[in-house]
């Protein structure tokens, strides 16, 4: 079995935890408010703003014997630059204050996921970052575009309020193909297990972020 397929198989139970977060069902069924969406964007900002620094940390821990992997990380950095600003612009398009969002504090679950990512890269292996890629990009291609369409229709928001969700649904279709080829080059059993373990943890951590969202949080950026 190719490693990417093994990764998919061995993270299924953890993936189910994420996809059973009540807010996903509510978004797909139309039981979703503007404040729900703003709360989601706010926490997305707080973890997405760390993507480039996390990728830089990952690349710095990969030795010269795997230049192909460092090149892949550099390509990810180029693709991810500035996405946190897209989210802030979406927040503005929804009628909220992006500077208040920029200066706000993340929810505990968001802070824990970010902290775990830095810790795993430094303490375990830089390859653990790819567990987060598995979770965020896999989630995007499954629900980002569909959720954006449902939310936009239900809330009658402009297209410019969905640059983050729409772009990731589209971009990550290509990213996941790149990711699959990259993962299939990881042949060491210990490294494969590190990535699987990290992905399992990230599915739960991101699921907790979604479960902690509350429309009340939107009041902090009104």
């Amino acid at each position: 079995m190719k490693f990417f397929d093994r990764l998919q198989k061995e993270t299924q139970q953890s993936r189910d935890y994420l996809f059973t977060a009540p807010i996903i069902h509510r978004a797909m069924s139309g039981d979703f408010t503007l404040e729900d969406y703003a709360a989601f964007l706010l926490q997305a900002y707080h973890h997405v703003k760390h993507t480039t620094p996390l990728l830089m940390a990952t690349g710095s821990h990969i030795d010269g014997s795997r230049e192909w992997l460092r090149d892949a990380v550099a390509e990810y950095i180029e693709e991810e630059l500035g996405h946190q600003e897209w989210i802030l612009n979406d927040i503005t398009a929804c009628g909220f204050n992006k500077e208040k969002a920029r200066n706000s504090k993340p929810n505990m679950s968001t802070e824990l996921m970010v902290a775990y990512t830095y810790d795993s890269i430094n303490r375990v292996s830089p390859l653990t970052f790819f567990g987060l890629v598995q979770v965020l990009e896999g989630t995007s291609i499954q629900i980002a575009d569909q959720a954006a369409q449902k939310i936009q229709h239900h809330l009658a928001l402009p297209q410019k309020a969905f640059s983050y969700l729409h772009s990731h649904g589209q971009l990550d279709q290509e990213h996941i193909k790149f990711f699959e080829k990259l993962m299939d080059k990881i042949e060491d059993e210990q490294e494969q297990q590190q990535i699987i373990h990290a992905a399992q943890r990230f599915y739960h951590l991101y699921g907790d972020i979604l479960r902690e969202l509350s429309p009340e949080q939107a009041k902090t950026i009104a």
Side-chain angles (χ1 to χ4, degrees):
M1 181 183 292
K2 291 183 177 180
F3 176 52
F4 178 78
D5 294 331
R6 180 187 172 199
L7 180 60
Q8 295 295 98
K9 180 180 179 182
E10 296 194 22
T11 57
Q12 181 61 58
Q13 186 174 356
S14 299
R15 188 157 53 250
D16 289 344
Y17 175 77
L18 190 161
F19 282 108
T20 54
I23 198 164
I24 292 179
H25 173 74
R26 289 175 48 223
M28 294 302 186
S29 65
D31 179 21
F32 203 77
T33 67
L34 179 63
E35 289 73 21
D36 286 321
Y37 184 47
F40 165 77
L41 289 173
L42 180 59
Q43 297 312 306
Y45 168 74
H46 280 302
H47 68 79
V48 170
K49 71 181 180 182
H50 289 278
T51 303
T52 298
L54 285 165
L55 281 162
M56 289 176 171
T58 299
S60 73
H61 283 78
I62 297 171
D63 63 47
S65 66
R66 291 202 273 195
E67 199 68 35
W68 58 272
L69 192 53
R70 288 203 298 206
D71 288 346
V73 171
E75 190 168 335
Y76 272 115
I77 290 172
E78 186 176 358
E79 289 283 349
E80 296 296 328
L81 283 172
H83 287 197
Q84 72 275 12
E85 295 298 324
W86 296 1
I87 299 172
L88 291 177
N89 290 337
D90 289 348
I91 286 172
T92 298
C94 290
F96 293 86
N97 189 315
K98 75 175 184 180
E99 294 307 319
K100 286 185 178 180
R102 193 193 303 275
N103 294 307
S104 67
K105 299 293 185 184
N107 287 347
M108 183 171 71
S109 54
T110 308
E111 191 167 7
L112 287 173
M113 188 178 80
V114 170
Y116 178 76
T117 314
Y118 280 109
D119 177 67
S120 295
I121 291 168
N122 291 306
R123 176 177 52 86
V124 181
S125 165
L127 297 185
T128 57
F129 180 80
F130 294 108
L132 182 61
V133 176
Q134 157 78 4
V135 172
L136 295 182
E137 293 195 350
T139 303
S140 290
I141 64 169
Q142 286 191 255
I143 65 170
D145 269 339
Q146 186 180 358
Q149 290 169 12
K150 294 276 188 181
I151 295 167
Q152 185 175 7
H153 175 75
H154 179 68
L155 299 178
L157 289 169
Q159 185 75 10
K160 63 182 180 179
F162 295 90
S163 58
Y164 173 65
L165 280 181
H166 279 313
S167 66
H168 277 70
Q170 295 159 6
L171 281 175
D172 290 342
Q173 293 283 351
E174 294 301 318
H175 284 182
I176 207 70
K177 295 174 186 175
F178 179 76
F179 178 68
E180 179 177 352
K181 291 178 181 178
L182 193 64
M183 290 299 94
D184 285 341
K185 291 182 181 180
I186 307 295
E187 297 177 344
D188 182 84
E189 171 63 28
Q190 181 179 0
E191 291 179 340
Q192 289 183 353
Q193 194 54 52
Q194 287 170 341
I195 295 170
I196 290 168
H197 176 81
Q200 289 169 338
R201 292 293 184 261
F202 283 123
Y203 274 120
H204 277 263
L205 289 164
Y206 191 56
D208 288 342
I209 289 175
L210 296 180
R211 284 169 168 80
E212 193 180 358
L213 294 177
S214 163
E216 293 296 310
Q217 294 157 13
K219 293 180 180 179
T220 65
I221 57 172

